[in-house]
Every structure is written in structure tokens, then in C-alpha cells.
Amino acid sequence: MRLGVLDVGSNSAQLQIVEATAGAPPLPLHALKAATGLAESIDASQCLDGNGIERVCEAVTQSLEAARHYEVDQIYLFVTAAIRDAANREEVLDRVAAECGLRPQFLTGLQEARLTYFAVHRWYGWCAGRLLDIDIGGTTMEITLGRDAAPELAVSLPLGAGRLTRTFFDTDPPSVKQVKELRRYVRSSLRETADRLLWEGKPQRVVGTSKTFKQLARLAGAPAQRKGPFVRRTLSRKDLHGWVARMATMTTDRRAKLQGVARSRAHQILAGAIVADETLYALDVDAIDVSPWALREGVILQHLSAVPDPQNDLPLQVLSPEVHVDKAVVTSLPITESSHDRTR
């Protein structure tokens, strides 16, 4: 069966298509992207305006047409924080349903955090030990910590790169004062979560997910995405801090020309970098690995974990407490010498 996952976010609607086979990894057969650009379409009342809604409908329509072209059988269609947190969310979802034929679902911040962690844990495996994941999206940042397939701790904070860009930066490039104010806000927002995580002790592995971390790692010299998912990519706090200082003096157009930075995200990469910088500092992390798997892979893996493999189908039997063993039969059975007794 071909399975599709369509994630409608603040920057784009991203469709990932996989062959849903039990035990198979969620490596995409096809991946497509359609721009949404919602950051500038959220008004003062936190409603998504008409132009933004129209772009969402166009992106979903285009993605569903592609899914049909590639013969997708079933699809998960969901929106993330940009639409989920909009004051007119139900209007947006109703409009998409009317124009596209499917009504998107939405995930809470904690659901996003847990599904992303699930994917990261699967990628690095049980040998990763205690794992900390940081995911910086357009509207929120999720942090998860755990050793098992489900995290012990999951939080969602209003520290998305797009949201903070709109709130704190009104000049291009931003002023020194605006950058300092953003840093203070991030530190304050992180304090309670950072205290809890530091109390838990150092994790064995720290991972960054999301496009923000992928672009920042590329800026710092990590291999390009065309090298494939199996190439290790890392980002050090030292390199990250240096790039924050450099990008703070650049215009959006100049940032768009940097290695690995997409033009559609150039306006918000600085805010995302500041959130990453302050988070690594607050958690005393020197370097992170950048995971190729995140939320969409988590949705797919959750689905695949429920798909039975008929070739390995061992029936589970119920042990009933009502069954009684005849003690007389048991005591009449011959007692044989154990190999241990024979050697004494």
C-alpha cells in the first residue's frame, strides 16, 4: 500500500509518499513541496487572512493531485501550529474541506513533540541511550527527553522562528536592540524547561530536527542534503554562535544567498538561529547531531508499527486463571535426575 503524509506548515505543505510495508523504513518514494507562506498572513487578531487561506487551499489541492498521480491509497493530512493556533482555525479547515474534499486534522504541540521524538529514537536506535531532541518550527519549538520509544518529558514552547521574527524584528536587518530583546525573551521562556532538563542530567545524545537545524548545520559546513540521509551531520555551539553574529548584520536578501539557506526561510533563519543558540547554551550542549527524520517520519512510523507482518504472525494465547492442573497427575510423573545431580 502506498501511504502519503501531507504536513501543512507555516512555510509550505510537504507531501511524503512511502510504500507502507511492515518492517520497512519510511524512506520516501516521492517528496513534494508547495509554498504556503503563512507568516505574513496572520493579522493582529491571530487570524489567518483570506490570501493565506487561499494559499493553503492551493497547496493542499496541488499536493492531493500529486498524491493521486502517484497512486497513493491512503493519506494523513494534518496542519501544524500556524493553522492550529489561528483564531479562525475552524474556518480554515472548513474551507480546505470544501475546496479539496478532505478536512485536515491537527496535532497538538505535545503530539508533535512525541511523534518527532519517536522518529528520532527509531533513527538512532536503542544504543543512543538517553536522547534529547530539539525541534524548531515556524510557530513553536518542541523539546523531548527520553530513553525509550516514548519520551519521559515533552514540552512545546512558543519559540518558532517565524513567530519570533514577526514579533521582534521590524527592520531589515534587525537592530542590535531588537536582537538583544529577542535573546532575553528566549532565555526567559526557556528557564523553567532548562532547569528541569539540567536536573535530569546530561543525555547521551542531543539531536536537532527541523529545517532550521538542517540549514544551520549546512551553513557550518555539514554535507548537503543531496548526499543522502545516511551521512552524519552535526552542528557545534561555537559555529552556531559565530553565524548568529554574522547573520544579524545581513539583510534577508543577503541571507538568502548563503549556502544551504532557502529563500523562503531567509527572513526567519536569524530568529531560528538565536533560539538554537540560546537553547544549546541554556542546556550546556556543545554540539548536536542533525536527524534526517522528524515529524512526518514519526507519523509514518507510528502507522507502520501497527501494520502486522503475516510472515511473522505468531498468535498470542490467553492464559486463563480458570484452568486447574490435576495435582495427582503431576505428582505421579517420574522424577528424573538432573545432569547436575549425576555429576555430584
Side-chain angles (χ1 to χ4, degrees), residues 14 17 30 44 104 113 136 142 147 163 240 294 299 322-324:
Q14 299 193 58
I17 300 171
H30 304 283
I136 302 172
E142 280 70 48
R147 185 189 304 276
R163 180 197 294 249
L240 172 60
V299 172
E322 300 302 319
V323 176
H324 298 285

Side-chain angles (χ1 to χ4, degrees), residues 152-188:
E152 304 162 23
L153 174 68
V155 296
S156 181
L157 300 170
L159 296 176
R163 180 197 294 249
L164 297 181
T165 299
R166 294 192 304 273
T167 304
F168 287 90
F169 297 164
D170 59 10
T171 60
D172 188 22
S175 67
V176 173
K177 180 182 178 181
Q178 290 170 357
V179 170
K180 287 182 177 179
E181 287 176 348
L182 174 53
R183 282 192 178 277
R184 281 195 294 267
Y185 176 77
V186 174
R187 287 172 196 160
S188 174

Side-chain angles (χ1 to χ4, degrees), residues 276-294:
D277 190 30
E278 291 293 340
T279 302
L280 297 191
Y281 179 81
L283 301 180
D284 193 25
V285 173
D286 293 324
I288 62 170
D289 288 308
V290 179
S291 171
W293 284 1

Side-chain angles (χ1 to χ4, degrees), residues 48-303:
L48 190 62
D49 66 23
N51 290 332
I53 296 174
E54 189 60 37
R55 286 197 298 276
V56 169
C57 291
E58 289 175 0
V60 172
T61 298
Q62 181 180 336
S63 300
L64 293 180
E65 287 175 355
R68 294 185 184 98
H69 172 77
Y70 288 111
E71 300 180 331
V72 167
D73 300 294
Q74 293 181 309
I75 192 166
Y76 286 103
L77 167 57
F78 62 92
V79 300
T80 49
I83 297 176
R84 179 191 70 219
D85 297 343
N88 60 338
R89 176 185 68 203
E90 296 305 314
E91 176 191 344
V92 177
L93 299 182
D94 289 344
R95 175 82 174 273
V96 173
E99 293 199 14
C100 307
L102 291 177
R103 193 175 199 273
Q105 306 168 68
F106 63 88
L107 297 169
T108 67
L110 291 182
Q111 285 176 315
E112 286 188 33
R114 293 175 69 86
L115 284 165
T116 301
Y117 171 89
F118 185 60
V120 171
H121 188 274
R122 282 291 186 92
W123 179 265
Y124 290 100
W126 295 101
C127 63
R130 209 138 190 251
L131 188 151
L132 174 67
D133 179 62
I134 306 165
D135 186 285
I136 302 172
T139 307
T140 59
M141 175 176 72
E142 280 70 48
I143 300 178
T144 45
L145 174 73
R147 185 189 304 276
D148 301 326
E152 304 162 23
L153 174 68
V155 296
S156 181
L157 300 170
L159 296 176
R163 180 197 294 249
L164 297 181
T165 299
R166 294 192 304 273
T167 304
F168 287 90
F169 297 164
D170 59 10
T171 60
D172 188 22
S175 67
V176 173
K177 180 182 178 181
Q178 290 170 357
V179 170
K180 287 182 177 179
E181 287 176 348
L182 174 53
R183 282 192 178 277
R184 281 195 294 267
Y185 176 77
V186 174
R187 287 172 196 160
S188 174
S189 301
L190 277 170
R191 189 167 295 122
E192 185 177 339
T193 300
D195 287 346
R196 169 69 189 278
L197 290 168
L198 291 172
W199 183 83
E200 293 283 355
K202 277 204 175 256
Q204 275 72 44
R205 186 183 292 272
V206 182
V207 179
T209 45
S210 73
K211 194 69 172 180
T212 295
F213 275 115
K214 289 179 179 179
Q215 291 188 120
L216 293 173
R218 182 71 182 121
L219 270 179
Q225 294 302 305
R226 66 176 178 275
K227 299 290 184 181
F230 300 107
V231 177
R232 188 183 181 193
R233 296 173 175 88
T234 61
L235 175 64
S236 73
R237 190 169 81 193
K238 180 181 177 182
D239 287 342
L240 172 60
H241 191 73
W243 272 106
V244 170
R246 292 173 64 181
M247 288 193 295
T249 65
M250 298 179 183
T251 63
T252 297
D253 286 342
R254 176 70 185 88
R255 285 184 225 127
K257 296 175 183 176
L258 294 173
Q259 175 177 262
V261 176
R263 175 163 289 279
S264 62
R265 293 174 183 267
H267 69 288
Q268 67 182 50
I269 188 65
L270 174 59
I274 290 172
V275 173
D277 190 30
E278 291 293 340
T279 302
L280 297 191
Y281 179 81
L283 301 180
D284 193 25
V285 173
D286 293 324
I288 62 170
D289 288 308
V290 179
S291 171
W293 284 1
L295 177 58
R296 286 183 295 280
E297 288 79 11
V299 172
I300 296 167
L301 286 163
Q302 187 73 34
H303 174 89

